[in-house]
Amino acid sequence: MRIVVLAGGIGGARFLRGLKRAVPDADITVIGNTGDDIHLFGLKVCPDLDTVMYTLGDGIDEERGWGRTDESFRLKEELAAYGVGPGWFGLGDRDFATHIVRTQMLAAGYPLSAVTEALCDRWQPGVRLIPMTDDRVETHVAVTLPDDDPAAGPSAGPGAGSGAGETPPGSGVRKVIHFQEYWVRLRASVPAEAVVPVGAEQAKPAPGVLEAIAAADVILFPPSNPVVSIGTILAVPGIREAIAEAGVPVVGLSPIVGDRPVRGMADKVLAAVGVESTAWAVAEHYGSGLLDGWLVDTVDAAGVERIEEAGIRCRAVPLMMSDADATARMAREALALAEEVRAV
Amino acid sequence: MRIVVLAGGIGGARFLRGLKRAVPDADITVIGNTGDDIHLFGLKVCPDLDTVMYTLGDGIDEERGWGRTDESFRLKEELAAYGVGPGWFGLGDRDFATHIVRTQMLAAGYPLSAVTEALCDRWQPGVRLIPMTDDRVETHVAVTLPDDDPAAGPSAGPGAGSGAGETPPGSGVRKVIHFQEYWVRLRASVPAEAVVPVGAEQAKPAPGVLEAIAAADVILFPPSNPVVSIGTILAVPGIREAIAEAGVPVVGLSPIVGDRPVRGMADKVLAAVGVESTAWAVAEHYGSGLLDGWLVDTVDAAGVERIEEAGIRCRAVPLMMSDADATARMAREALALAEEVRAV
């Protein structure tokens, strides 16, 4: 069975581990989100690709969900001693090696997809991991920063002159920031007013992406962030269309359980695209033109009917990825729903 | 008193520590060798500049003489796990930060001299450290590698075909390698047939170098390598001439004591330039056109007369930098000899 999975970071990676356990012989291609890639210290960092690679390659820090196991942060402390930031992004000593190898290969002219394949040679994730695109796409978030935020700038402080065009003191400072700054530094503590995958419109799917979709028997959306993970992948021209036209079951798992994200802060970015934080609202956001089946958690069983009325087959099953077995059961439910859809 | 010192790595750095102790109020400018700079993992590494900076900034590993104190090598192990080399060059986790900051600043367009100044902001070495040039100079060494050396290549192995132009098996393989590969990987275990500071002819002295020489009261050559450290600095057009024409005492300290290098393997590269490994031969190699005074160790007192006959004032004093006090005494002797020269 050929399965294509669109994946963000932690949620996608953990789901994939369950999927591999559920169907060990399946041929799995993962299309990874690169919208939250960031250049730090001159190095290209791909948090979502690395989380998938480390998680499936048994190199992940299980507690944190990102970065390497048995990690230390000495290099980062030294960078801080040089006054070089940002300090809010956690890069460990072991993790740095991945970014150094990646940056060196990119500088040598290899596309990100080839670099990712080379890195996976070491990690043997047991899936084919392809970045959504080899082009640069960067998710930016429009926010209003409080006046006292360090990134708000000196002109925002009380007593600063307020010339024409400046925001009056006390009302905050509008800024567009990198997704990682919003997510990691600010912990999504202010509302996301807009989320823009900058560069997506000009991006092309990486080699193998459209081919994998066209050859798939099933396409799965794990409980990843519907806006900044799966939404960004779908924003690369050609990918959404290829999925909609693949003619195979497309089944997703709700990242929202009981009106709250299972983990992370998906509700903050859902608001930015005008979508309620409910399992049914996310299903309707994807829409029946894309999605054939949707799994919601048992606590959201009341919404099943509404989702089915929207033309999306829906089942309520436990959706907490509490351990590998529970996650494998979720994967089996998703594949079972796909077979139901196919049988119609 | 304004002192200019031409410095390589460990020997130069330790001498400078003694010089600072001897004359704490002196205004010291160090012109650092960059000929053994190397690009590793896409990062610009300047071993000699860093050794000076770390040694004078109390960040050096005293035992090894290079790299950071309290160092770990986890990142390097990870690079090896990716199959990325070279493994023979020791870059520690803390040390990596320096190379990352430097590479990032160079990529942003700052010249090496400005980058070095910025790095020194943290280390406060108590001297002004200037690279000899902002241009790329790389010392290469011509060697004949044994057939079984990994770098000799597959065609050199026994039983390999020996086509036209190939070296016959058993006689080794001629190659030109980076100085670091000769020094660190091979430990100078084969003779250096030629030493070439590639790029030196086109290089210009970094901003401040010629100005510091012109303003100096004394110019010192520490017991650094006369070929690949001080020789490389002198190979940058304009520097040798500026020193010769400065009209101030130029005094050196012999790196050879009793026909052997005090540390390192200076004899290996001296042979490549046809200079014997003796205190007097090194003095004659610099020549009376450049050098006014020369300190040899007491064990080499027999050579003093010969050196003075060559027109270079010479004294025999203890030249082992066994501790900071002994090194400070050497520095005082060098400055005393400079005053003798000046008084003539």
PDB file of all heavy atoms in Angstrom, chain B residues 98-112:
ATOM      1  N   THR B  98      32.722  30.384  17.730  1.00  0.00           N
ATOM      2  CA  THR B  98      33.598  31.398  17.136  1.00  0.00           C
ATOM      3  C   THR B  98      33.558  31.315  15.607  1.00  0.00           C
ATOM      4  O   THR B  98      33.451  32.339  14.923  1.00  0.00           O
ATOM      5  CB  THR B  98      35.048  31.193  17.629  1.00  0.00           C
ATOM      6  OG1 THR B  98      35.056  31.270  19.060  1.00  0.00           O
ATOM      7  CG2 THR B  98      35.987  32.236  17.057  1.00  0.00           C
ATOM      8  N   HIS B  99      33.610  30.108  15.088  1.00  0.00           N
ATOM      9  CA  HIS B  99      33.642  29.939  13.628  1.00  0.00           C
ATOM     10  C   HIS B  99      32.284  30.280  13.013  1.00  0.00           C
ATOM     11  O   HIS B  99      32.215  30.794  11.896  1.00  0.00           O
ATOM     12  CB  HIS B  99      34.080  28.530  13.278  1.00  0.00           C
ATOM     13  CG  HIS B  99      35.259  28.076  14.076  1.00  0.00           C
ATOM     14  ND1 HIS B  99      36.396  28.851  14.173  1.00  0.00           N
ATOM     15  CD2 HIS B  99      35.474  27.001  14.866  1.00  0.00           C
ATOM     16  CE1 HIS B  99      37.258  28.240  14.971  1.00  0.00           C
ATOM     17  NE2 HIS B  99      36.721  27.120  15.400  1.00  0.00           N
ATOM     18  N   ILE B 100      31.229  29.998  13.744  1.00  0.00           N
ATOM     19  CA  ILE B 100      29.888  30.317  13.242  1.00  0.00           C
ATOM     20  C   ILE B 100      29.684  31.831  13.205  1.00  0.00           C
ATOM     21  O   ILE B 100      29.209  32.381  12.218  1.00  0.00           O
ATOM     22  CB  ILE B 100      28.815  29.610  14.100  1.00  0.00           C
ATOM     23  CG1 ILE B 100      28.815  28.105  13.794  1.00  0.00           C
ATOM     24  CG2 ILE B 100      27.428  30.215  13.852  1.00  0.00           C
ATOM     25  CD1 ILE B 100      27.898  27.274  14.677  1.00  0.00           C
ATOM     26  N   VAL B 101      30.076  32.509  14.266  1.00  0.00           N
ATOM     27  CA  VAL B 101      29.936  33.968  14.288  1.00  0.00           C
ATOM     28  C   VAL B 101      30.805  34.587  13.196  1.00  0.00           C
ATOM     29  O   VAL B 101      30.367  35.471  12.445  1.00  0.00           O
ATOM     30  CB  VAL B 101      30.327  34.538  15.680  1.00  0.00           C
ATOM     31  CG1 VAL B 101      30.348  36.063  15.644  1.00  0.00           C
ATOM     32  CG2 VAL B 101      29.367  34.040  16.747  1.00  0.00           C
ATOM     33  N   ARG B 102      32.041  34.107  13.075  1.00  0.00           N
ATOM     34  CA  ARG B 102      32.954  34.650  12.061  1.00  0.00           C
ATOM     35  C   ARG B 102      32.385  34.455  10.658  1.00  0.00           C
ATOM     36  O   ARG B 102      32.345  35.395   9.853  1.00  0.00           O
ATOM     37  CB  ARG B 102      34.317  33.966  12.167  1.00  0.00           C
ATOM     38  CG  ARG B 102      35.282  34.387  11.067  1.00  0.00           C
ATOM     39  CD  ARG B 102      36.562  33.573  11.116  1.00  0.00           C
ATOM     40  NE  ARG B 102      37.357  33.918  12.288  1.00  0.00           N
ATOM     41  CZ  ARG B 102      37.773  33.064  13.207  1.00  0.00           C
ATOM     42  NH1 ARG B 102      37.474  31.780  13.113  1.00  0.00           N
ATOM     43  NH2 ARG B 102      38.494  33.471  14.222  1.00  0.00           N
ATOM     44  N   THR B 103      31.917  33.247  10.376  1.00  0.00           N
ATOM     45  CA  THR B 103      31.410  32.936   9.034  1.00  0.00           C
ATOM     46  C   THR B 103      30.191  33.779   8.713  1.00  0.00           C
ATOM     47  O   THR B 103      30.037  34.281   7.597  1.00  0.00           O
ATOM     48  CB  THR B 103      31.078  31.433   8.946  1.00  0.00           C
ATOM     49  OG1 THR B 103      32.240  30.690   9.308  1.00  0.00           O
ATOM     50  CG2 THR B 103      30.632  31.054   7.540  1.00  0.00           C
ATOM     51  N   GLN B 104      29.338  33.952   9.708  1.00  0.00           N
ATOM     52  CA  GLN B 104      28.132  34.746   9.506  1.00  0.00           C
ATOM     53  C   GLN B 104      28.491  36.203   9.211  1.00  0.00           C
ATOM     54  O   GLN B 104      27.913  36.828   8.329  1.00  0.00           O
ATOM     55  CB  GLN B 104      27.268  34.638  10.775  1.00  0.00           C
ATOM     56  CG  GLN B 104      25.837  35.051  10.573  1.00  0.00           C
ATOM     57  CD  GLN B 104      25.018  34.919  11.846  1.00  0.00           C
ATOM     58  OE1 GLN B 104      25.533  34.555  12.907  1.00  0.00           O
ATOM     59  NE2 GLN B 104      23.738  35.222  11.762  1.00  0.00           N
ATOM     60  N   MET B 105      29.465  36.742   9.937  1.00  0.00           N
ATOM     61  CA  MET B 105      29.871  38.134   9.705  1.00  0.00           C
ATOM     62  C   MET B 105      30.552  38.298   8.352  1.00  0.00           C
ATOM     63  O   MET B 105      30.329  39.284   7.645  1.00  0.00           O
ATOM     64  CB  MET B 105      30.794  38.615  10.831  1.00  0.00           C
ATOM     65  CG  MET B 105      30.074  38.894  12.144  1.00  0.00           C
ATOM     66  SD  MET B 105      31.165  39.746  13.343  1.00  0.00           S
ATOM     67  CE  MET B 105      31.267  41.397  12.593  1.00  0.00           C
ATOM     68  N   LEU B 106      31.387  37.326   7.985  1.00  0.00           N
ATOM     69  CA  LEU B 106      32.040  37.399   6.667  1.00  0.00           C
ATOM     70  C   LEU B 106      30.985  37.349   5.566  1.00  0.00           C
ATOM     71  O   LEU B 106      31.053  38.101   4.594  1.00  0.00           O
ATOM     72  CB  LEU B 106      33.036  36.246   6.498  1.00  0.00           C
ATOM     73  CG  LEU B 106      34.311  36.314   7.351  1.00  0.00           C
ATOM     74  CD1 LEU B 106      35.076  34.995   7.266  1.00  0.00           C
ATOM     75  CD2 LEU B 106      35.220  37.460   6.905  1.00  0.00           C
ATOM     76  N   ALA B 107      29.991  36.484   5.747  1.00  0.00           N
ATOM     77  CA  ALA B 107      28.934  36.361   4.737  1.00  0.00           C
ATOM     78  C   ALA B 107      28.144  37.661   4.640  1.00  0.00           C
ATOM     79  O   ALA B 107      27.612  38.002   3.586  1.00  0.00           O
ATOM     80  CB  ALA B 107      28.018  35.195   5.079  1.00  0.00           C
ATOM     81  N   ALA B 108      28.073  38.386   5.745  1.00  0.00           N
ATOM     82  CA  ALA B 108      27.355  39.667   5.747  1.00  0.00           C
ATOM     83  C   ALA B 108      28.204  40.779   5.140  1.00  0.00           C
ATOM     84  O   ALA B 108      27.737  41.912   5.012  1.00  0.00           O
ATOM     85  CB  ALA B 108      26.949  40.031   7.172  1.00  0.00           C
ATOM     86  N   GLY B 109      29.454  40.468   4.781  1.00  0.00           N
ATOM     87  CA  GLY B 109      30.264  41.433   4.063  1.00  0.00           C
ATOM     88  C   GLY B 109      31.356  42.105   4.872  1.00  0.00           C
ATOM     89  O   GLY B 109      32.100  42.927   4.340  1.00  0.00           O
ATOM     90  N   TYR B 110      31.470  41.762   6.150  1.00  0.00           N
ATOM     91  CA  TYR B 110      32.539  42.367   6.953  1.00  0.00           C
ATOM     92  C   TYR B 110      33.873  41.725   6.588  1.00  0.00           C
ATOM     93  O   TYR B 110      33.952  40.515   6.406  1.00  0.00           O
ATOM     94  CB  TYR B 110      32.287  42.151   8.449  1.00  0.00           C
ATOM     95  CG  TYR B 110      31.104  42.907   8.984  1.00  0.00           C
ATOM     96  CD1 TYR B 110      29.853  42.308   9.057  1.00  0.00           C
ATOM     97  CD2 TYR B 110      31.238  44.217   9.416  1.00  0.00           C
ATOM     98  CE1 TYR B 110      28.752  42.999   9.546  1.00  0.00           C
ATOM     99  CE2 TYR B 110      30.149  44.916   9.905  1.00  0.00           C
ATOM    100  CZ  TYR B 110      28.911  44.303   9.970  1.00  0.00           C
ATOM    101  OH  TYR B 110      27.839  44.989  10.448  1.00  0.00           O
ATOM    102  N   PRO B 111      34.949  42.534   6.491  1.00  0.00           N
ATOM    103  CA  PRO B 111      36.266  41.935   6.263  1.00  0.00           C
ATOM    104  C   PRO B 111      36.756  41.223   7.534  1.00  0.00           C
ATOM    105  O   PRO B 111      36.291  41.524   8.634  1.00  0.00           O
ATOM    106  CB  PRO B 111      37.145  43.140   5.936  1.00  0.00           C
ATOM    107  CG  PRO B 111      36.465  44.305   6.589  1.00  0.00           C
ATOM    108  CD  PRO B 111      34.994  43.997   6.596  1.00  0.00           C
ATOM    109  N   LEU B 112      37.696  40.299   7.340  1.00  0.00           N
ATOM    110  CA  LEU B 112      38.185  39.502   8.473  1.00  0.00           C
ATOM    111  C   LEU B 112      38.715  40.375   9.601  1.00  0.00           C
ATOM    112  O   LEU B 112      38.552  40.051  10.779  1.00  0.00           O
ATOM    113  CB  LEU B 112      39.272  38.528   7.989  1.00  0.00           C
ATOM    114  CG  LEU B 112      39.825  37.583   9.057  1.00  0.00           C
ATOM    115  CD1 LEU B 112      38.733  36.672   9.613  1.00  0.00           C
ATOM    116  CD2 LEU B 112      40.967  36.738   8.503  1.00  0.00           C
TER     117      LEU B 112
END
